[in-house]
């Protein structure tokens, strides 16, 4: 079982993934600050689960660079699995490209 730390509350987990023959990678701003050149976005953290750590890490970093709105498009197109944390809308989980939104969630326009 692998836990994912909540960037809004360090030390607390937002979820756990049971991994068997899989990899999990997270990219975000809470540990290393703004270290990725990216579009202006309230995106705080992206975690990807994949069969390959290299692929998971690449997509987690790409997600941070793309911002929430664009990355949601990429999630669907590339059938990604994981979770992202956006400072304005909260936690969004996705599995094989299917995004799990809350009932009243609206994706804010990014600058």
């Amino acid at each position: 079982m692998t836990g994912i730390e909540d960037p809004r509350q360090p030390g607390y987990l937002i979820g756990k993934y049971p991994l068997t023959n899989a990899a999990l990678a997270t990219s975000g701003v809470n540990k290393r600050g703004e270290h990725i050149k990216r579009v202006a976005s309230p995106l705080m953290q992206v975690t990807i689960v994949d069969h390959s750590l290299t692929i998971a890490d690449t997509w987690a970093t790409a997600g941070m660079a793309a911002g929430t709105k664009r990355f949601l498009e990429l999630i669907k197109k590339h059938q990604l699995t994981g979770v992202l944390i956006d400072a304005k809308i909260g936690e969004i989980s996705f599995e094989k490209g299917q995004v799990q939104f809350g009932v009243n969630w609206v994706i804010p326009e990014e600058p």
Side-chain angles (χ1 to χ4, degrees), residues 16-72:
K16 298 177 186 176
Y17 279 93
L19 297 178
T20 304
N21 297 322
L24 180 142
T26 298
S27 184
V29 297
N30 67 316
K31 296 288 184 185
R32 294 173 52 196
E34 291 286 349
H35 65 285
I36 298 170
K37 185 172 181 168
R38 62 193 194 119
V39 299
S41 172
L43 189 56
M44 298 177 71
Q45 181 172 293
V46 174
T47 298
I48 299 292
V49 179
D50 195 89
H51 67 279
S52 161
L53 180 57
T54 301
I55 292 171
D57 185 51
T58 299
W59 277 116
T61 303
M64 288 300 298
T68 303
K69 187 173 182 179
R70 175 71 178 124
F71 192 54
L72 288 171

Side-chain angles (χ1 to χ4, degrees), residues 8 41-44 68 85-91 105-111:
R8 300 160 296 189
S41 172
L43 189 56
M44 298 177 71
T68 303
I85 305 294
D86 182 286
K88 291 186 179 178
I89 57 177
E91 180 181 328
W105 287 13
V106 176
I107 302 300
E109 289 297 319
E110 294 174 340

